[in-house]
Amino acid sequence: MATSDRIAIVGGGIVGLTTAYYLKQAGYTEITLFDEGTGQATQAAAGIISPWLSKRRNQRWYNLAKRGAQLYPDIVATAGLSKRAYRQNGTIVTRRDPAKLNALYELATTRLATTPMMQAIELLSAQAIEQRVPGITIPDAGIFVAGGAQIDGTAFLTELATFLEITIVQEKVTLTATGQIMDYPDFDQIILATGAWLSEILTPLGLTTNVRPQKGQLISYQTASLPTTTPVLMPEGEYDYLPTPDGVIVGASHEDDQGFDLTIDTAVISDLTTSAQNINPALVKVPVSVRVGTRAYTPDFAPFFGQVPGYKQLFVASGLGSSGLTTGPAIAQLLVAMLVNPDLNISEYTKPVSEYIY
C-alpha cells in the first residue's frame, strides 16, 4: 500500500540504502537520500556475514547480528544482486589451542540447533583448510560454517541503488533547530544514518553523542580468480582473508586515534601485507591497493537506533562498528517498522537512544 509521507534518509551506507529498500517494500514512494560520501565505512568495506561464532557477551548485539544475517538472502534475491556484491560461500574460523577450538565447536553446535541460517558446521584440519582456500599456508585447525557469507560494500550499494532506482543527492546536510533539513521543504520523517559524523549533524539541535570515529584500512590483491565457493578465512592471530572475483582482500585495521583522517598509513599497510603474506606467501609478488574508511563506535561497542529524544520526526542509527554490514539491514528493517509504530519495543536489540544522545 503506497504512502504519501515524505521521508529523508541522511547517509547512503548500509543502513541508509537498506532503509530505502525496506521503505519501498512497505509502500513509501517519496524518499530522498542524501549522502556526501566522504570516508563512508560501507564503501570501503569488505564484510564477513557470519556472527554465530562470536563470543561477545552483548546479547542485544547478537540478536541484531543474527537477524541481519538472516535478512540478506531475501534482499539479494529480491534485488537480483550479483555474487560480487554478496555470496554465501562459508566462513572458516581457526584456533591455535585445541581446547579453545573444541569450546568454539561446542558453541557452534549449540547455536546451529536454533539457527538454520548456519546450514552446517564442520571441524577442519589445517590441511583440509588449505585445500578449500587455494594458495594459503595455515598452521591451525578450524571450524567451517556453511551459511557464512561475504559482501563487497561498494558493489552492494551500487547494485542496490540501481534496483531501487533511487537518486542520491550528493550534498552535505545541515539540520535546522527544529529538526528539519535546511533549504528543503519539511519532511514527515528523517532518518539520520551518518555513522561517525552523527555529533556534527546533531549540533543545531543542541544535542551531542558519545559516538567516536575509528579508522579502518584494508588491502586488496588482484590475482587469478578464485572459485566463488572459496570460503572466507578468519585465522587466529592474523587479519581476515577474503577471496574475491578479482583476487584477495585482507584486513581490516582498527585505529582509534586517527579521527576522520583518511590518509593511507604506511606502517598499518606494512602490518596488513605482512599478515597477508603469512597466510599466502605468493602475495609478496603481487601489487597492493588500499581502501580507507571511518567506522562509528560507542563506548560499549554496541550499535543504537530509534527516535531522537524530543523530536518525533527524527530517527537515528549509529555505532555499528566493524560489524555494520551484518547489523545494518536489521537496524534498517526495525527503523522502518518504527515509522509506523514509534512505540515498537526494540529493547532486545538496543539500549535507549537517550543513553547515547543527550
Side-chain angles (χ1 to χ4, degrees):
M1 182 178 177
T3 173
S4 60
D5 282 4
R6 297 181 65 253
I7 311 294
I9 302 169
V10 185
I14 188 63
V15 174
L17 256 291
T18 51
T19 296
Y21 169 83
Y22 283 113
L23 284 169
K24 287 213 166 184
Q25 292 292 99
Y28 289 85
T29 57
E30 297 295 319
I31 304 167
T32 304
L33 195 151
F34 299 88
D35 187 68
E36 186 181 9
T38 304
Q40 184 194 102
T42 305
Q43 287 281 2
I48 302 169
I49 312 300
S50 187
W52 310 290
L53 301 192
S54 173
K55 289 190 173 182
R56 285 177 63 165
R57 295 180 180 180
N58 188 326
Q59 187 61 42
R60 290 187 179 94
W61 174 87
Y62 182 70
N63 291 341
L64 202 59
K66 180 179 175 181
R67 182 177 181 133
Q70 291 171 335
L71 292 173
Y72 267 107
D74 184 64
I75 297 173
V76 170
T78 301
L81 304 187
S82 73
K83 287 190 176 181
R84 177 179 289 276
Y86 172 93
R87 66 181 184 272
Q88 199 170 59
N89 49 347
T91 51
I92 298 172
V93 180
T94 73
R95 288 292 181 269
R96 199 152 295 153
D97 183 340
K100 290 182 179 179
L101 181 65
N102 288 335
L104 193 62
Y105 185 72
E106 289 178 7
L107 174 65
T109 302
T110 300
R111 288 183 170 170
L112 177 63
T114 57
T115 312
M117 179 76 178
M118 293 174 68
Q119 297 185 11
I121 58 173
E122 185 179 354
L123 275 172
L124 298 178
S125 66
Q127 293 75 18
I129 294 173
E130 290 174 359
Q131 290 174 0
R132 297 203 186 189
V133 188
I136 69 163
T137 300
I138 197 82
D140 306 319
I143 299 170
F144 172 72
V145 182
Q150 71 183 84
I151 178 173
D152 182 282
T154 299
F156 184 89
L157 294 183
T158 300
E159 293 184 23
L160 186 58
T162 299
F163 166 75
L164 293 173
E165 298 181 332
I166 191 166
T167 300
I168 300 177
V169 181
Q170 295 183 329
E171 67 180 64
K172 187 174 182 178
V173 164
T174 301
L175 294 183
T176 67
T178 59
Q180 286 293 336
I181 294 177
M182 191 173 291
D183 299 326
Y184 280 84
D186 286 358
F187 290 93
D188 295 295
Q189 283 96 19
I190 300 171
I191 294 151
L192 304 177
T194 54
W197 289 266
L198 183 60
S199 289
E200 180 182 350
I201 199 166
L202 290 175
T203 299
L205 308 182
L207 297 173
T208 189
T209 176
N210 51 19
V211 171
R212 62 178 172 82
Q214 184 191 76
K215 184 177 181 179
Q217 301 180 73
L218 53 77
I219 56 175
S220 62
Y221 297 86
Q222 286 196 339
T223 64
S225 179
L226 295 171
T228 57
T229 54
T230 304
V232 171
L233 180 64
M234 304 169 72
E236 185 175 24
E238 302 289 356
Y239 287 101
D240 296 330
Y241 184 94
L242 296 83
T244 75
D246 305 316
V248 173
I249 290 175
V250 178
S253 65
H254 294 74
E255 302 160 61
D256 289 322
D257 58 351
Q258 299 299 306
F260 294 96
D261 180 15
L262 297 176
T263 305
I264 294 173
D265 187 318
T266 55
V268 173
I269 302 308
S270 177
D271 187 42
L272 288 164
T273 54
T274 297
S275 181
Q277 292 161 21
N278 287 342
I279 300 168
N280 184 346
L283 293 177
V284 70
K285 300 178 181 180
V286 182
V288 172
S289 60
V290 181
R291 300 185 193 181
V292 187
T294 306
R295 311 180 188 95
Y297 268 91
T298 57
D300 61 0
F301 300 96
F304 68 92
F305 60 98
Q307 198 170 40
V308 176
Y311 296 85
K312 65 179 183 179
Q313 81 280 13
L314 283 181
F315 294 79
V316 67
S318 190
L320 278 68
S322 59
S323 60
L325 287 172
T326 303
T327 59
I331 291 172
Q333 186 190 52
L334 290 164
L335 279 172
V336 172
M338 292 182 74
L339 297 188
V340 177
N341 177 17
D343 296 323
L344 181 71
N345 185 357
I346 56 172
S347 61
E348 66 178 299
Y349 299 108
T350 182
K351 294 179 183 177
V353 170
S354 58
E355 295 200 18
Y356 302 96
I357 295 177
Y358 40 87

